[in-house]
Amino acid sequence: MILLRFGELTLKGKNRNVFENRVMSHISETLAPYPRIKFTKAFGRCYLELNGEPYEDVAEKLKTVFGLVSFSPVRKAPLDLQAIREAALSEMRRLPQPPRTFKVSARRADKTFPYSSMELNHLIGGYLLKHTPGLKVDVHQPEVELHAEVRQEGAFVYCETIPGLGGYPRGSNGKAMLMLSGGIDSPVAGWLAMRKGLLLEAVHFHSFPYTSERAQQKVIDLTRKLAIYGGSIKLHMVPFTDIQVKLNEHKMKHLLITLMRRAMFAITEKLALKHDAGGIVTGESLGQVASQTLASLHVIGREVRLPVLRPLIAMDKSEIIKIAEKIDTYATSILPYEDCCTLFVPKSPSTKPNLRITETIERRLLWLPDMLNLAVERTETLTIGGNETDFRKNEQLF
C-alpha cells in the first residue's frame, strides 16, 4: 500500500473534504493506466492498495500531482503485536541497504489497542534488534526511522517518506490564461501557477510565415510538458502576423514592444472572458528586458482589467532555469526556433513608456479594435495531454 499525505489543503477547515477529493480525483486520472489500484480513505489518511501494480512506476506518477505533500510505501498488518513486529522486520529488510542505526516512532491512534505508543517503541525495536545482527538504536540521528501507526482499520508500518509537489490541487483556485511563449520563463510561470491550484489554458501568439511551424511545435511540446502536471491543457494559437506588421508601420518605433504587448494582453483578456478564466499568468520578471521594467509593466498591464499574475516577478534567471530543468522544460525552451516577440524589435525600445501617450497613439489606430477581434475569431484551439498520443484539435480528435 501507499500512504498519501496532503499539505496546505488540510488547513482549509470545512473545505478539507473538497480539497482532498480534488487531489484524489487527479490521482485517479493520473493512475488510470493501473486499473488494479484500489483507493481507501480513512479520517486524515488516504491509501492506495497496489494489488500487484508496480510501485516504482506508480511512485513516479504521484510525483506529478499537485496537493500531494508526500507519500510512503507502507505495510498493513492486523491489530496484533506479533503481526506488527513481523511487518516492521519485513519493511527493514526491504531497504536497499541494511542500516546501521535506527529508531522506532510508534503512534497509537486507536486507544483500544493494549499497548501505548511508548511501549510499542520498545516492543518493536527490541524485536528488530534481536533479528538484525549489527543493528543499533540511535534516537537522535538514526539512519532509518521506522514508523508504526496503529489505527482502527489496521496497523501501518513504513520507513520511507517521498516528497511530493505540495501546493494546492488542480483547479482549486480557479482558472487563468497563461501567455505561453517559446522561451524559458513562461512555462515555469505556468507550472508555479498550477502549483497554487490554478487550472490553466495557454495562449500563444505566432507570426506565420515569419515564424516557422517548428516554433509552433515547440510550444505544443512545452504545453505537453505542463500537461504532465496539470492534466490536459487547451492551447489557443493566435495569429498575430497582421497586427504585428501594421504596428511596425507606425513611426513611434521605440513604443513598438509596448504596443505589441498591450495588443497581446487585450487578445488574451478576450479569450479569458470567452473561456470563463479569471486571470492572466505571464512569465515576466522585473527588469529582465525592456518590456519588464516597472514603468513598462504598468503601462502594458493597464490594458486589461483582469488580474495579471507574475509568479517570476522577483526571481533571478538562474532560479528560473533551475525550476525549468526540474520540470523538464528547459531543453525544449532553448531550441533555436524564433517566436513573434523576436520580430521587428527596435534598436532602442522604450523602458519608460508613458501611459497617456501610449493610449493616445492607440486611439489613433482605428484599425486596431477590429483586428484584435479578428485575431480572436481566427484563433485555433488544441487540447493537449501529457503524452504524445493525447492530442486534440478544435475539440476533435486529431
Side-chain angles (χ1 to χ4, degrees), residues 62-63 68-71 161-166:
L62 290 175
K63 291 176 184 177
L68 184 64
V69 68
S70 67
F71 59 93
T161 297
I162 295 92
L165 291 178

Side-chain angles (χ1 to χ4, degrees), residues 20 49 52 54 64 68 108 140 155 187 221 228 244 246 265 273 280 296 308 325 348 356 390:
E20 285 186 355
E49 294 182 38
T64 68
L68 184 64
R108 184 184 65 163
H140 300 294
D221 292 340
I228 291 172
Q244 206 164 8
K246 287 283 285 183
F265 269 63
L273 296 175
I280 298 170
S296 291
V308 179
E325 291 173 335
S348 301
R356 181 182 59 81
D390 191 358

Side-chain angles (χ1 to χ4, degrees), residues 2 17 25 51 57 96 98 103 156 204 213 229 265 275 286 288 313 323 325 331 335 344 349 351 366 370 390:
I2 299 177
N17 283 337
S25 176
N51 295 316
D57 293 350
K103 69 177 286 189
F156 301 89
H204 176 69
E213 291 185 1
Y229 299 93
F265 269 63
H275 294 275
L286 187 62
Q288 192 162 265
I313 194 66
I323 298 174
E325 291 173 335
L335 292 174
F344 311 121
T351 59
L366 301 180
D370 288 340
D390 191 358

Side-chain angles (χ1 to χ4, degrees), residues 202-204 206 216 220 234-239 271 275 375-383 391-395 398:
V203 180
H204 176 69
H206 66 87
Q216 294 185 46
I220 292 172
K234 287 184 179 180
L235 171 60
H236 305 285
M237 305 290 279
V238 181
L271 288 169
H275 294 275
V376 172
E377 291 175 14
R378 292 179 174 176
T379 295
E380 183 180 38
T381 299
L382 315 175
T383 301
F391 184 93
R392 294 173 182 267
K393 182 176 181 179
N394 291 331
E395 307 310 311
F398 180 77

